[in-house]
Amino acid sequence: MEIKIALNDHKYRYDVYQMFNIYFALDELKFVEDGEYIINIEEDKIVFAFKEYCKERLIGENIKEDIKKVVFESLKDITGEEYPWGILVGIRPSKIALKYLNEGKSNEEIIDIFKEKHLAAREKAELCIEVAKAEESFVNKDEKKIAIYVGMAFCPTRCFYCSFAANPIMGNKKMVNPYLEAITKEIRAMKEYVNLKGLAIESVYFGGGTPTAVNNDEFEEIMSEVYDAFVKDKKLVEFTVECGRPDSITREKLLTMKKFNVTRISINPQTMNDDTLKMIGRGHDSASVIEKFNMAREMGFDDINMDMIIGLPGEGIKEVKHTKDEILKLHPDSLTVHGLSLKRASILYENFILKKGIQVKKQKELADMYEESRILASELGLKPYYMYRQKNMIGNMENLGYSKKGKECIYNIQMIEDKQTIIALGADAVTKAVFLKEDRIERFGNAKDLREYISRIDEMIEGKIKLLDSLYK
């Protein structure tokens, strides 16, 4: 459906767009002269009109904030939908709470700020405070303490909702060895750099893609390189491997992870409904999730994360409750709940929303589905410890990580809080240099395309070192 918006001052187009995108996430938003939604910004006030509806707001100190508020409040009245994050669109809302906590503000003062400034519900303000307090003791304060990210650019198949650099391995077999050779070169160069500069590695995160998408021997070889470079003889707090897809996990790969001192793994079902798994291109069923999870437990893995996604096509409260019940039986040590991020140009949108006419659930049911995930975390004895938001999220909610006490993923916290340098290796990996004293960040991104990454690996290494040298002089 087309949503036509008439705006008399296009300087504020993006601010208006952001608010309409909350309420009409899957519709086409057009700015036209004869729009049915009319926003006029006058000398001292903002006027919102739609058919017989009209709302005015006086302009205060921050005109952009006032524009967002009048649009948000008007669309709330017109649609009857409740979006608890209000006008907040930033990806790290817990940072707002942490800032105010560090300034000495009380919980109630912070809740009032979220309500008055952002129109956010009390429950979301309280969640931000809880997450901020959980993160506070972990947030990095030492410029020479770093994290390492290693990215595998392959997956068994490509999930329809995926936006990462993940190439289906069956169609890219010829690229596996060249890729592993290139990333091995990058690993060895960064090993030399870390040792030369005397940097302290706090955590290593092997993600992707799916690290276990390669065969047993290839996996052991790359794990040996990662271990030798960044784990062996280092005082690491955590070494995570995001196995992710159960169809890529074997006993041999789990033994390899044990051999190289992996402390934390992820086995991610996303949903425990087989029809949905098939629909979104996962290539495995729920039984394989249970089998591989139990195998990992029997082999002594005592820190296992599971992911679930709220808002998958065709899923409602019934399906989410089934996923909740099945995950509860397994009792993971941490749980990450994602809201489906659905771009209008995505395969998922084209195939399921447009062609098959599958409806996205209404906000009330989406909120109830999120509530089921919160209940699951509570029944597992898990507490929220990190959070981030994405654009185009169904229901405009949040991605939330829960864990048992002492099982928090340190890498996730440092990555979200932007207070620690992360040296990132692999295709599409982005190195982040954090200048703590200057409170600024600079980034260097590797090439996303496999062939380009492989052919330009020396350039990738040189660019990364040049950036890091500006920090570690």
Side-chain angles (χ1 to χ4, degrees):
M1 186 170 76
E2 278 188 358
I3 303 296
K4 295 180 179 179
I5 307 160
L7 174 65
N8 71 331
D9 190 340
H10 281 247
K11 182 167 58 178
Y12 303 105
R13 177 174 170 156
Y14 183 64
D15 305 290
V16 171
Y17 178 91
Q18 285 179 316
M19 296 302 100
F20 270 87
N21 196 47
I22 292 172
Y23 287 89
F24 304 105
L26 297 178
D27 295 306
E28 187 177 359
L29 305 179
K30 284 192 170 181
F31 287 86
V32 295
E33 288 186 11
D34 58 343
E36 54 187 341
Y37 295 89
I38 302 167
I39 300 103
N40 283 330
I41 300 159
E42 300 175 4
E43 190 175 333
D44 62 343
K45 66 182 178 181
I46 306 149
V47 181
F48 185 108
F50 174 71
K51 296 179 180 176
E52 293 80 25
Y53 179 91
C54 186
K55 190 181 190 75
E56 294 184 0
R57 186 183 187 96
L58 293 175
I59 295 173
E61 293 180 3
N62 190 325
I63 186 170
K64 288 191 173 186
E65 233 171 59
D66 291 328
I67 290 168
K68 288 179 181 179
K69 284 178 180 177
V70 75
V71 175
F72 182 87
E73 290 170 334
S74 297
L75 292 177
K76 179 181 176 181
D77 292 341
I78 293 164
T79 65
E81 299 279 6
E82 294 275 351
Y83 288 94
W85 280 108
I87 67 171
L88 271 172
V89 292
I91 64 173
R92 294 173 172 88
S94 60
K95 290 180 75 172
I96 299 170
L98 185 57
K99 171 182 174 289
Y100 290 130
L101 286 170
N102 289 336
E103 290 175 3
K105 286 185 168 54
S106 68
N107 288 8
E108 285 302 320
E109 285 175 316
I110 296 170
I111 290 166
D112 286 342
I113 291 170
F114 270 80
K115 179 183 176 182
E116 297 302 321
K117 186 174 181 180
H118 307 296
L119 306 183
R122 183 183 185 91
E123 67 187 82
K124 296 305 179 188
E126 289 175 337
L127 176 61
C128 284
I129 293 168
E130 186 175 6
V131 169
K133 287 181 176 178
E135 291 176 336
E136 197 169 14
S137 63
F138 295 103
V139 175
N140 183 57
K141 297 177 178 66
D142 181 353
E143 211 162 56
K144 297 196 80 172
K145 186 183 286 186
I146 66 165
I148 300 288
Y149 175 84
V150 181
M152 178 62 74
F154 304 100
C155 271
T157 59
R158 187 174 181 85
C159 303
F160 291 163
Y161 54 78
C162 183
S163 60
F164 294 105
N167 304 276
I169 198 161
M170 291 308 294
N172 290 278
K173 281 283 188 183
K174 292 180 180 178
M175 302 302 297
V176 174
N177 282 335
Y179 181 79
L180 294 179
E181 287 172 8
I183 199 170
T184 294
K185 188 172 189 178
E186 195 176 15
I187 288 168
R188 290 177 180 177
M190 288 305 106
K191 170 191 176 181
E192 185 178 334
Y193 186 87
V194 166
N195 291 340
L196 177 68
K197 298 294 183 177
L199 304 179
I201 300 171
E202 182 180 41
S203 66
V204 174
Y205 194 102
F206 192 1
T210 306
T212 46
V214 295
N215 68 36
N216 293 339
D217 291 339
E218 290 162 343
F219 182 69
E220 174 142 14
E221 286 171 15
I222 196 65
M223 282 291 292
S224 176
E225 292 289 343
V226 173
Y227 174 80
D228 183 62
F230 308 125
V231 182
K232 183 181 178 182
D233 301 325
K234 302 287 192 296
K235 295 179 180 179
L236 233 63
V237 175
E238 138 192 307
F239 181 12
T240 296
V241 175
E242 192 174 4
C243 310
R245 295 277 295 266
D247 46 331
S248 71
I249 299 170
T250 63
R251 181 173 291 277
E252 289 80 7
K253 288 171 186 170
L254 289 170
L255 286 169
T256 293
M257 286 183 257
K258 274 289 175 187
K259 176 181 176 181
F260 293 120
N261 296 349
V262 171
T263 60
R264 181 180 181 275
I265 64 172
S266 289
I267 299 175
N268 302 331
Q270 313 303 5
T271 174
M272 294 296 273
N273 296 283
D274 289 341
D275 287 346
T276 310
L277 287 169
K278 186 176 180 181
M279 185 188 294
I280 62 176
R282 286 289 284 180
H284 65 83
D285 59 16
S286 57
S288 67
V289 176
I290 296 165
E291 176 197 355
K292 298 302 169 63
F293 186 95
N294 288 332
M295 181 190 293
R297 274 286 194 245
E298 289 163 10
M299 294 175 69
F301 286 92
D302 62 358
D303 194 349
I304 305 177
N305 175 77
M306 300 188 87
D307 282 9
M308 65 183 291
I309 296 177
I310 302 294
L312 287 168
E315 290 213 343
I317 193 73
K318 176 185 172 184
E319 288 76 18
V320 169
K321 281 186 174 181
H322 176 72
T323 295
K324 169 197 155 194
D325 292 343
E326 292 301 304
I327 290 178
L328 184 60
K329 292 174 190 175
L330 296 172
H331 230 83
D333 307 284
S334 58
L335 173 73
T336 309
V337 180
H338 299 272
L340 179 66
S341 179
L342 189 55
K343 296 178 181 178
R344 295 180 184 88
S346 68
I347 296 173
L348 200 59
Y349 179 70
E350 290 285 335
N351 284 1
F352 299 109
I353 306 301
L354 292 183
K355 290 182 182 176
K356 295 189 178 180
I358 294 175
Q359 297 294 310
V360 173
K361 299 300 179 182
K362 294 291 185 183
Q363 183 63 19
K364 174 65 171 67
E365 187 169 3
L366 285 166
D368 290 343
M369 290 153 71
Y370 270 93
E371 178 62 14
E372 287 299 322
S373 69
R374 189 199 64 77
I375 293 168
L376 169 61
S378 177
E379 290 177 347
L380 288 169
L382 311 179
K383 299 287 186 183
Y385 77 97
Y386 95 108
M387 171 173 58
Y388 67 100
R389 302 181 70 218
Q390 292 170 274
K391 291 182 179 179
N392 304 303
M393 285 182 71
I394 297 296
N396 192 43
M397 298 294 271
E398 69 278 341
N399 299 320
L400 190 58
Y402 299 90
S403 79
K404 292 178 181 175
K405 181 94 174 151
K407 303 289 187 180
E408 301 88 352
C409 179
I410 308 302
Y411 174 85
N412 283 340
I413 293 172
Q414 305 295 16
M415 180 264 297
I416 288 296
E417 283 303 314
D418 283 336
K419 295 294 184 184
Q420 185 174 77
T421 291
I422 297 174
I423 299 178
L425 320 176
D428 202 30
V430 179
T431 292
K432 179 169 62 178
V434 178
F435 297 75
L436 283 176
K437 294 171 187 174
E438 301 166 39
D439 193 25
R440 68 182 177 91
I441 297 169
E442 290 190 18
R443 294 174 171 84
F444 178 84
N446 282 354
K448 181 174 183 175
D449 179 78
L450 276 178
R451 288 170 178 80
E452 192 178 357
Y453 169 76
I454 292 163
S455 66
R456 295 173 54 201
I457 187 61
D458 291 331
E459 180 188 332
M460 300 293 103
I461 292 168
E462 288 170 15
K464 201 184 319 294
I465 288 175
K466 184 178 179 181
L467 168 61
L468 293 168
D469 275 345
S470 69
L471 174 60
Y472 303 115
K473 297 173 181 176

